[in-house]
């Protein structure tokens, strides 16, 4: 085999099978479906609304592909070293349920996904706290952000007229507990990881450059959760104040993440599931700025939110292009480079 033909094998053979490791794609496409529908409705934009349905269809297909893939390969196991991908699977399920509720107006897709995923998210978060394996990396925080997604979804359910009123307070209490758990675990962890970054003890390879966005997930998601949890209460100013502070704190990490991600992407590094790490966190920033803008009647924040939506769509397009490129390389490696007479082996 020539050196040239060996490179695609190294670039693609290590990719994990369909399953939780790829749930970042489900997360990113699902939140894109939700927010493109929200902004499409707000702006009266039919193309944007149609795009949301396309995202929803794609996310639903991804969900079934990943589910079937896991049932077939059983990879990864539900074990402590793999809480990051399982956290993504939980968040992807929650995001897909929210997307279906946004598109249909029925609260039940979101309610069912929240009811099924939230307990698993707590288990994932608690289990992750037992230990963190390997060198410091932003992937450590994925499992700890998971309950924050449940907090946002639960807060929305607690305010829904379609949910029996006697359930509002219990759901709100669970959502608040999710918020508290994620805040007291994920925020200190990310602060520690940025400290390690400053000390040059955190190194993100180019193929995982998308994971530089992960800390921004807790920024946007907790902004939305805090505002919705305190909506229509005497603490609404607290939620808004938290959102303003958190988004302000997130500016520098967002600039850093964008710089590292785009610097790597322009050189088209080896494709990994980490490419999808640049999608969902951007979606949460879109959600957080929109929620803050709506609660304060600040129009320019919705402009920022739409800008984040554009970035989100671009990052999805890049990750999708990377996936197609990896598949083509794998196919070419399988059939052999031109001029070679090779028979594929099992």
């Amino acid at each position: 085999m020539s050196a040239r033909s060996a490179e695609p094998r190294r670039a693609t053979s290590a990719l994990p099978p369909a399953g939780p490791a790829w749930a970042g794609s489900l997360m990113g496409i699902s939140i894109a479906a939700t927010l493109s529908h929200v902004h499409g409705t707000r702006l009266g934009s039919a193309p944007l609304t149609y795009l949301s349905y396309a995202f929803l269809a794609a996310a639903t297909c991804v969900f079934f592909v990943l589910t079937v893939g896991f049932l077939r390969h059983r990879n990864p196991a539900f074990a402590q070293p793999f809480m990051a991908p399982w956290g993504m699977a939980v968040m992807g399920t929650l995001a897909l349920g929210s997307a279906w509720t946004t598109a249909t107006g029925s609260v039940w897709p979101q309610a069912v996904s929240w009811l099924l995923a939230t307990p698993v998210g707590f288990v994932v978060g608690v289990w992750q706290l037992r230990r963190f394996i390997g060198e410091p990396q932003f992937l450590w925080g994925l499992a700890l952000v998971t309950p924050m997604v449940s907090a946002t979804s639960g807060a929305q359910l607690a305010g829904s007229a379609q949910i029996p009123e006697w359930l509002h307070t219990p759901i709100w209490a669970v959502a608040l507990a999710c918020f508290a758990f994620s805040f007291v675990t994920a925020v200190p962890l990310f602060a520690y990881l940025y400290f390690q970054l400053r000390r040059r003890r955190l190194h993100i390879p180019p193929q995982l450059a998308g994971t530089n966005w992960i800390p921004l997930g807790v920024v946007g998601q907790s902004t939305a959760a805090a505002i919705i949890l305190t909506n229509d209460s005497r603490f609404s100013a607290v939620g808004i104040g938290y959102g303003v502070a958190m988004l302000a704190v997130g500016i520098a990490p967002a600039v850093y993440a964008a710089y590292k991600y785009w610097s790597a992407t322009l050189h088209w590094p080896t494709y990994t599931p980490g490419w999808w790490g640049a999608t969902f966190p951007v979606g949460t920033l879109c959600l957080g700025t929109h929620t803050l803008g709506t609660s304060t009647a600040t129009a320019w924040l919705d402009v920022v939110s739409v800008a984040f939506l554009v970035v989100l769509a671009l990052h999805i397009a890049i990750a999708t292009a990377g996936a197609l490129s990896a598949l083509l390389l794998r196919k070419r490696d399988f059939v052999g480079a031109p001029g070679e007479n090779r028979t594929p082996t099992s």
Side-chain angles (χ1 to χ4, degrees):
M1 183 184 296
S2 67
R4 180 182 177 185
S5 64
E7 181 59 29
R9 182 181 295 276
R10 291 196 298 270
T12 63
S13 61
L15 291 176
W22 293 98
S25 60
L26 176 62
M27 295 163 62
I29 299 172
S30 294
I31 200 169
T34 295
L35 292 165
S36 55
H37 193 282
V38 167
H39 283 300
T41 301
R42 183 182 64 84
L43 298 171
S45 171
L48 197 53
T49 303
Y50 293 145
L51 178 62
S52 74
Y53 295 136
F55 278 135
L56 181 58
T60 304
C61 290
V62 168
F63 175 81
F64 283 110
V65 168
L66 297 187
T67 300
V68 172
F70 174 73
L71 293 175
R72 178 183 178 186
H73 299 286
R74 304 289 179 174
N75 186 337
F78 192 74
Q80 204 280 336
F82 307 113
M83 289 298 98
W86 280 105
M88 291 194 297
V90 171
M91 288 186 282
T93 301
L94 289 164
L96 182 61
S98 296
W100 271 100
T101 286
T102 301
T104 63
S106 170
V107 75
W108 298 112
Q110 184 176 27
V112 171
S113 67
W114 184 81
L115 187 63
L116 295 176
T118 296
V120 181
F122 259 119
V123 171
V124 165
V126 171
W127 211 353
Q128 178 66 82
L129 289 173
R130 290 179 56 191
R131 61 174 175 158
F132 296 92
I133 299 173
E135 296 297 319
Q137 54 185 314
F138 289 128
L139 288 167
W140 281 3
L142 273 174
L144 303 181
V145 176
T146 303
M148 192 63 78
V149 181
S150 286
T152 305
S153 185
Q156 292 169 334
L157 292 171
S160 172
Q162 297 181 48
I163 298 293
E165 189 172 349
W166 64 273
L167 286 174
H168 286 190
T169 299
I171 293 174
W172 182 88
V174 172
L176 182 62
C178 290
F179 180 96
F181 175 87
S182 193
F183 181 80
V184 302
T185 58
V187 173
L189 175 65
F190 286 131
Y192 165 77
L193 292 174
Y194 279 119
F195 177 68
Q196 294 301 311
L197 178 66
R198 183 174 178 82
R199 298 177 66 190
R200 301 181 185 276
R201 294 183 178 179
L202 189 154
H203 305 284
I204 307 294
Q207 63 268 30
L208 295 178
T211 64
N212 286 289
W213 286 97
I214 289 176
L216 279 302
V218 77
V219 171
Q221 198 71 54
S222 69
T223 294
I227 293 172
I228 300 171
L229 281 168
T230 58
N231 191 35
D232 296 329
S233 75
R234 58 182 176 176
F235 300 108
S236 59
V238 175
I240 291 172
Y242 173 92
V244 171
M246 185 56 79
L247 288 175
V249 168
I251 293 175
V255 172
Y256 173 80
Y259 169 75
K260 298 297 290 186
Y261 173 73
W262 281 101
S263 296
T265 299
L266 290 175
H267 293 88
W268 207 255
T270 302
Y271 184 73
T272 71
W275 282 40
W276 290 96
T279 58
F280 187 77
V282 175
T284 69
L285 294 175
C286 177
L287 174 64
T289 50
H290 167 68
T291 305
L292 181 60
T294 300
S295 63
T296 59
T298 307
W300 66 267
L301 281 172
D302 259 327
V303 176
V304 174
S305 181
V306 171
F308 278 127
L309 180 59
V310 172
V311 174
L312 170 59
L314 180 59
H315 286 188
I316 289 174
I318 291 171
T320 302
L324 294 175
S325 175
L327 288 173
L328 289 173
L329 285 174
R330 184 181 290 267
K331 181 178 180 181
R332 187 178 71 180
D333 186 50
F334 180 78
V335 301
E340 291 188 42
N341 184 17
R342 294 193 291 125
T343 301
T345 59
S346 58

